[in-house]
Amino acid sequence: MKKNRMNDFSKFLMLAALIILMAGGYIVNRKKLQLREAANLPYYKVELSEIEDGIYTGKAETSFLHLELEINVENHQIKKINVLQNDGIDGEKARPIIDEMIAQNKIVVPAIKGAERGSLVYISCASTALARK
């Protein structure tokens, strides 16, 4: 009777390990697909020296994040970036990228570690807004 319980317990552990491995593989694959989707968003080369004063809005939508930004430009400087919509995965984690954009007065800045997908969406959204002169 003890051997049957051990066999049943071993089978249960093996099944649990298999389920955990499969779930982990699914999550990793999904993140790779989302990163590829973010990398395929439109990105525009923006020269702030050519951007006139004003308020510009842009949108970027993926299967995992819907983002809308409002960018205030004065004297060819990014003065403020307001988030109008931020729904989805990595949106809040990537939000500090706004501070980097303002501090460096550039749209293309390094991604936020751990929020690379969301960072790419922010960069695409901002470049889209400013590309609409």
Side-chain angles (χ1 to χ4, degrees), residues 42-62:
Y43 296 92
Y44 300 95
K45 184 175 181 178
V46 175
E47 294 292 334
L48 282 163
S49 62
E50 298 174 8
I51 304 296
E52 295 179 20
D53 290 359
I55 297 174
Y56 301 85
T57 58
K59 283 186 178 186
E61 294 188 5
T62 65

Side-chain angles (χ1 to χ4, degrees), residues 3-36:
K3 273 192 175 182
N4 282 342
R5 279 192 185 173
M6 282 301 266
N7 283 339
D8 289 344
F9 186 68
S10 295
K11 288 178 186 177
F12 172 76
L13 284 178
M14 288 174 42
L15 180 60
L18 179 63
I19 290 171
I20 290 169
L21 284 172
M22 288 175 61
Y26 170 78
I27 291 168
V28 167
N29 189 47
R30 188 179 74 178
K31 283 187 176 186
K32 283 182 183 179
L33 290 173
Q34 290 171 344
L35 188 58
R36 192 172 307 134

Side-chain angles (χ1 to χ4, degrees), residues 48-115:
L48 282 163
S49 62
E50 298 174 8
I51 304 296
E52 295 179 20
D53 290 359
I55 297 174
Y56 301 85
T57 58
K59 283 186 178 186
E61 294 188 5
T62 65
S63 63
F64 61 91
L65 179 60
H66 294 202
L67 185 67
E68 185 175 4
L69 299 176
E70 179 181 80
I71 304 172
N72 186 346
V73 176
E74 293 177 17
N75 297 320
H76 310 291
Q77 300 273 318
I78 300 170
K79 292 296 180 182
K80 189 172 185 179
I81 300 176
N82 294 317
V83 178
L84 304 178
Q85 181 184 13
N86 185 357
D87 300 322
I89 299 170
D90 269 2
E92 283 303 314
K93 284 175 65 178
R95 198 176 189 129
I97 201 166
I98 289 173
D99 297 330
E100 286 302 311
M101 289 176 175
I102 294 169
Q104 295 183 32
N105 198 42
K106 294 183 348 184
I107 297 302
V108 179
V109 295
I112 302 299
K113 186 173 174 134

